[in-house]
Amino acid sequence: MKAASLYAVLFVFGATLSAQPKPAVHLRLSHPLNQARVEGPALTSFRDTLKVLAIMVDFQSSSDPRITGNGKFMLQSIPDLVDPPPHDVQYFLYKMQFVQNYFRKVSNGKLAVVGTVLNRVLSVSKQMQDYAPSSTSNNAELAALVAESWAMADSAYPGFPFSQYDAFVVFHAGIGHDLNIINFLGYDPTPLNLPSLYFGPQALKDAFQNPSYDGVPVSGGSFNIDNTILLPETETQFVVSSQGPDTLQFSINGLFAASIGSYLGLPDLWDTKTGLTGIGQYGLEDGASFFAYFGLFPPEPCAWEKIRLGWVTPITITSTSPNLQAPAVSLYHEGQAFVAQDTIYKVPINSTEYFLLENRSRDPFNIGQTLTIIQNGNPVLRTFHVDSAGFDNNDISAIHGSVVDVQNFDWALLGLIDTTHVYDGGGIFIWH
């Protein structure tokens, strides 16, 4: 085997997905994201447009110190943050714009996400901490929040065509209880912040302990909302440590993309009991991936995920296979026809096991990484030719605003691109 590019990376995935790479940022998820073992519509025949409907929900005012904030959305402008407030309808449309761009690119145009955010903030009946799940409730409190939120939306928007949508999102006020903040502080200052989850049909049945539960009835009972992605307005943590007040900035972009992946039928690919990484930053459904670059953007889905979603058909390698080429999976031109479709090779081991081979490169065009960031309502392009101070997997302090697109999602992979080892372009492996 010879490589046209020295630092292009070939990742080999076993069928059992048992690799244990270490993320650059040692984050632990505090809970599973996908709340049932089997969810989603088995995408090999999934239609090419996914219509997503989102609502904004806040809570009754609270001064409980066990939550972040007061139960209301942050609306005062703080420009020098990632995902800065005001967290209004336009802000959540930026989040929709990000997942639209992500899935269009990583599916090579096979999946279009079309998002709608209803512009009214709905105030549920209880304070935020009242919906925090207990250790034995199977997330019944969060399921009650989901049901109440959609019932309120149905009342607030009479005649709205809910049945025209596939996936549903509740963006709620407050910060998610998703990262094990004890790793940073040694204690958890806000244990009643709400975890971010995907509730599919089975997860809702389990939460309500009702095997016949069909979802939240809307539109006069003619349609049931049987899935919901529950996400916070931000993942940025405002903390007080022994060194004084600090801000741990995280975006919800990656978490939103992974939640849609859960809807599409992808399972969690990390250890959901311990929070430890599984496939690391080499796919989508691992916390190390969707919190890569502190959540700004995840890498592309791995070979197994793309095959499961029906986006790629693997090519089986035999002993008589001729010379084979594997373009980097991110080889495309923005806004133009794709240069190369993803190429995944399947190497059978026996009748039930196989390896999957794909070429992954952080910078296949040798042009660096360009981010499209909304700042004060205006799109701004920022280009980084290498990882640098303020923009790498351990530091995003140079980024202010809402990231809605990036040139190459696989920049989120682990790998060496710095001022002394610059990738030399090309991105194609050739096997002999």
Side-chain angles (χ1 to χ4, degrees), residues 3-206:
S5 305
L6 183 59
Y7 292 103
V9 181
L10 175 69
F11 296 118
V12 181
F13 290 91
T16 57
L17 295 175
S18 60
Q20 297 284 337
K22 295 180 180 180
V25 180
H26 298 282
L27 302 174
R28 286 193 184 186
L29 274 292
S30 59
H31 59 83
L33 180 61
N34 196 333
Q35 289 302 293
R37 288 187 295 274
V38 179
E39 291 286 3
L43 260 93
T44 52
S45 61
F46 195 80
R47 60 190 181 187
D48 60 2
T49 299
L50 176 66
K51 298 188 70 175
V52 181
L53 176 66
I55 55 176
M56 300 177 293
V57 170
D58 69 3
F59 306 93
Q60 298 302 306
S61 295
S62 173
S63 58
D64 193 320
R66 297 171 298 172
I67 66 170
T68 303
N70 61 2
K72 303 298 182 181
F73 286 108
M74 291 184 282
L75 298 177
Q76 181 178 357
S77 178
I78 308 176
D80 294 335
L81 286 178
V82 168
D83 286 359
H87 294 156
D88 53 16
V89 64
Q90 186 58 61
Y91 165 79
F92 291 111
L93 286 171
Y94 297 148
K95 302 298 105 184
M96 285 288 190
Q97 187 177 349
F98 175 83
V99 294
Q100 288 167 355
N101 288 325
Y102 177 81
F103 284 101
R104 174 178 53 83
K105 288 183 175 180
V106 303
S107 71
N108 277 354
K110 291 182 173 64
L111 180 65
V113 175
V114 179
T116 298
V117 182
L118 300 183
N119 62 6
R120 189 179 306 177
V121 175
L122 306 173
S123 296
V124 292
S125 61
K126 300 178 182 180
Q127 295 179 333
M128 179 176 168
Q129 65 270 20
D130 297 321
Y131 297 98
S134 69
S135 59
T136 59
S137 67
N138 205 23
N139 295 311
E141 298 89 347
L142 291 173
L145 171 61
V146 167
E148 182 179 356
S149 298
W150 289 115
M152 292 188 69
D154 187 40
S155 297
Y157 296 90
F160 187 84
F162 293 97
S163 63
Q164 294 183 11
Y165 294 85
D166 306 301
F168 298 85
V169 183
V170 170
F171 290 116
H172 67 79
I175 294 171
H177 193 260
D178 303 310
L179 294 170
N180 189 343
I181 200 70
I182 296 174
N183 288 350
F184 297 96
L185 299 180
Y187 73 104
D188 186 354
T190 51
L192 298 186
N193 284 348
L194 303 184
S196 304
L197 305 175
Y198 167 68
F199 282 100
Q202 186 59 50
L204 289 172
K205 295 177 192 293
D206 293 344

Side-chain angles (χ1 to χ4, degrees), residues 37 111 228 276 336 363:
R37 288 187 295 274
L111 180 65
T228 293
L276 291 172
Q336 302 177 28
D363 189 11

Side-chain angles (χ1 to χ4, degrees), residues 346-382:
K346 181 177 181 180
V347 183
I349 304 171
N350 53 43
S351 61
T352 59
E353 297 177 301
Y354 55 88
F355 289 112
L356 296 174
L357 306 180
E358 63 177 349
N359 178 4
R360 306 286 292 270
S361 171
R362 296 189 70 207
D363 189 11
F365 288 112
N366 194 27
I367 56 175
Q369 175 71 300
T370 297
L371 291 77
T372 304
I373 310 170
I374 304 299
Q375 296 178 344
N376 299 317
N378 300 309
V380 175
L381 298 181
R382 290 287 308 276

Side-chain angles (χ1 to χ4, degrees), residues 11 13 17 19 21 102 106 254 257-258 261 266-270 277-292 297-306 309 311 329 358 360 409-410 412-414:
F11 296 118
F13 290 91
L17 295 175
Y102 177 81
V106 303
L266 296 178
D268 296 337
L269 295 177
W270 75 91
T277 184
I279 65 168
Q281 288 170 236
Y282 307 122
L284 175 59
E285 299 298 321
D286 188 304
S289 295
F290 54 78
F291 279 118
F297 56 94
E300 298 215 6
C302 71
W304 183 86
E305 290 172 312
K306 289 186 177 182
L309 295 177
W311 295 342
V329 301
E358 63 177 349
R360 306 286 292 270
F409 288 101
D410 267 356
L413 295 172
L414 298 179

